[in-house]
Amino acid sequence: MSKVRIGVVGLGFFAQNQLEAWRVIEGVEIAAVCDRDPAKVEAARQRYGVERGYTDVAEMLSDGGIDAVDVATTPPSHRAIVEQVARAGKAVICQKPMAETLEDARAMVEACRRAGVSFTVHENFRFQRPMREVAGLLRDGAIGEPFFARISFRTPYDVFANQPYLATESRFIILDLGIHLLDLARCFMGDARDVSCWTKRVNPKIRGEDVATMVLDHGGGRTSIVDCSYATHQVPDPWPQTIVIIEGTEGTISLEADYRLHLTRGAEITTRHVPPPAWPWSKLPLDIIQDSVVALQKHWVESYLAGRPAETSGEDNLKVVELVHAAYADAERRR
Ligand code: NAD
Ligand code: 89V
């Protein structure tokens, strides 16, 4: 069977993980790479052995020979590129956040629906190995009916060193990082119908908020707390690990630092170590994120070949984008 031919657009900091991942996944090939910066195109062509390189998405699409486009550019460009790819009739994967505004996100989902192309958001946190384990325990009923969750990501890590654009955005932590955690909350507790939110900027050198606390109502008395901070003094720094606690009618699941997963039922506790598998390009401590990229892209290939939407389809991810904007609106109202 012929391979699925991928065109990767945006060859910056994070795309390197996506390119590495495509190379180890069976049944796909990187058919072309594209970035508006010609030096990045040349570097990616050399490094990943890709014949075709472009500085313009339209040119890449009109040359054909591509089944799907993997968009790894920064958010302001996402809508235009996704709409362009949809018009060309190709499947599209787009990095999170799908868009900066709800209006753009809705338009993107609609454009893909109208064009009849599959649209997936690269929302990878739910594909982290420990998160798959937590979801499996919940699915198996290991803690009965979950009624409370806390999903927490707190760090002093200097995220602006690799992603300087994050320091100048008026909205930072919820849109960039909280979005992953809100998706995890949905994955574990079901869709949320309401969110309350408090935000704060601690770092005076950045423009947006770097601390957020959100409380979600999942219906039926089920609640979760989603909290994140890039301003927390903590040694050792857990970045980029997410800490999870889920309480249920029959037990508690707790994912602690260093991938220690505890299951408590009554007076009994069992503990397992669930670190991510290592890949040749894994670089601690980002290995947890790097492996989740492989897992998401593998899932995408399976879904694409089976003709079904991926778990993180555009339509599904719209619910996370809605939560992000509801959280900002609530935080604004309180201020
Ligand atoms: P970056 O600035 O390092 O790279 C973006 C690249 O896109 C640049 O090389 C830029 O030249 C190129 N680009 C921008 N607009 C373009 C256009 N219209 N046409 C062609 N090329 C264009 O950014 P980054 O930090 O790699 O972030 C990229 C995306 O990845 C963002 O959406 C970010 O939120 C996401 N990200 C996701 C994760 C994750 O774990 N899922 C982690 C980090 C970043
Ligand atoms: O998703 C992000 O933008 C990254 C992280 C490494 C936390 O995944 O900052």
Side-chain angles (χ1 to χ4, degrees):
M1 205 169 75
S2 59
K3 292 187 173 184
V4 182
R5 299 160 301 176
I6 311 282
V8 179
V9 182
L11 306 169
F13 162 66
F14 201 73
Q16 307 309 315
N17 299 304
Q18 293 166 232
L19 289 155
E20 292 285 6
W22 287 127
R23 285 209 296 183
V24 297
I25 298 172
E26 274 179 34
V28 289
E29 64 176 326
I30 306 171
V33 287
C34 172
D35 195 292
R36 60 186 173 196
D37 177 347
K40 287 185 180 166
V41 175
E42 203 38 43
R45 282 190 57 244
Q46 297 293 333
R47 184 178 168 94
Y48 301 104
V50 183
E51 214 171 286
R52 293 166 51 193
Y54 298 86
T55 51
D56 181 35
V57 183
E59 228 177 277
M60 181 182 87
L61 290 169
S62 73
D63 276 359
I66 283 169
D67 302 304
V69 175
D70 186 16
V71 183
T73 58
T74 31
S77 58
H78 286 177
R79 176 174 174 179
I81 298 175
V82 167
E83 289 182 344
Q84 208 172 352
V85 175
R87 277 196 302 275
K90 308 295 174 195
V92 57
I93 310 168
C94 178
Q95 257 297 348
K96 50 58 64 175
M98 186 198 313
E100 291 175 305
T101 68
L102 196 47
E103 186 195 347
D104 281 354
R106 285 182 176 145
M108 290 157 78
V109 171
E110 177 54 20
C112 292
R113 193 198 59 77
R114 230 181 306 118
V117 301
S118 113
F119 179 28
T120 304
V121 175
H122 188 118
E123 175 41 74
N124 50 327
F125 269 40
R126 63 162 73 197
F127 286 93
Q128 290 176 17
R129 184 195 166 191
M131 304 309 167
R132 288 322 236 192
E133 299 279 351
V134 170
L137 287 172
L138 289 169
R139 219 177 17 251
D140 293 346
I143 61 163
E145 282 296 312
F147 58 82
F148 171 80
R150 179 175 174 209
I151 295 158
S152 180
F153 188 109
R154 313 190 77 82
T155 174
Y157 184 77
D158 178 15
V159 70
F160 312 107
N162 285 323
Q163 297 172 272
Y165 61 91
L166 294 174
T168 54
E169 296 293 332
S170 60
R171 290 179 161 183
F172 163 46
I173 202 168
I174 303 176
L175 191 60
D176 183 64
L177 189 270
I179 196 164
H180 289 303
L181 312 180
L182 290 168
D183 185 60
L184 282 176
R186 291 182 55 235
C187 180
F188 297 149
M189 302 293 280
D191 281 329
R193 58 184 195 185
D194 193 20
V195 57
S196 303
C197 178
W198 294 260
T199 60
K200 182 169 176 58
R201 176 167 58 88
V202 176
N203 182 346
K205 295 190 189 132
I206 67 166
R207 192 162 162 229
E209 83 292 351
D210 51 3
V211 177
T213 308
M214 294 165 266
V215 179
L216 275 64
D217 171 9
H218 297 271
R222 291 196 290 180
T223 54
S224 62
I225 298 173
V226 171
D227 61 286
C228 46
S229 159
Y230 267 112
T232 299
H233 293 248
Q234 194 171 348
V235 179
D237 179 4
W239 188 89
Q241 294 181 51
T242 306
I243 306 303
V244 175
I245 295 174
I246 305 176
E247 296 179 7
T249 50
E250 313 282 324
T252 297
I253 296 167
S254 140
L255 176 66
E256 290 179 355
D258 296 327
Y259 315 116
R260 303 278 160 200
L261 180 62
H262 307 288
L263 173 63
T264 310
R265 288 169 63 93
E268 265 179 37
I269 179 162
T270 51
T271 300
R272 283 191 300 138
H273 190 214
V274 290
W279 295 96
W281 66 95
S282 293
K283 196 163 170 244
L284 289 169
L286 198 64
D287 55 338
I288 182 71
I289 306 286
Q290 293 172 311
D291 174 61
S292 70
V293 169
V294 181
L296 177 143
Q297 292 181 190
K298 266 190 185 161
H299 168 77
W300 179 84
V301 175
E302 284 161 17
S303 310
Y304 175 80
L305 292 176
R308 56 172 183 254
E311 219 177 284
T312 57
S313 67
E315 228 155 76
D316 178 83
N317 197 260
L318 205 45
K319 295 178 191 168
V320 193
V321 181
E322 281 166 357
L323 272 178
V324 164
H325 290 281
Y328 277 120
D330 190 67
E332 291 286 325
R333 185 182 64 77
R334 287 170 198 283
R335 198 168 297 127

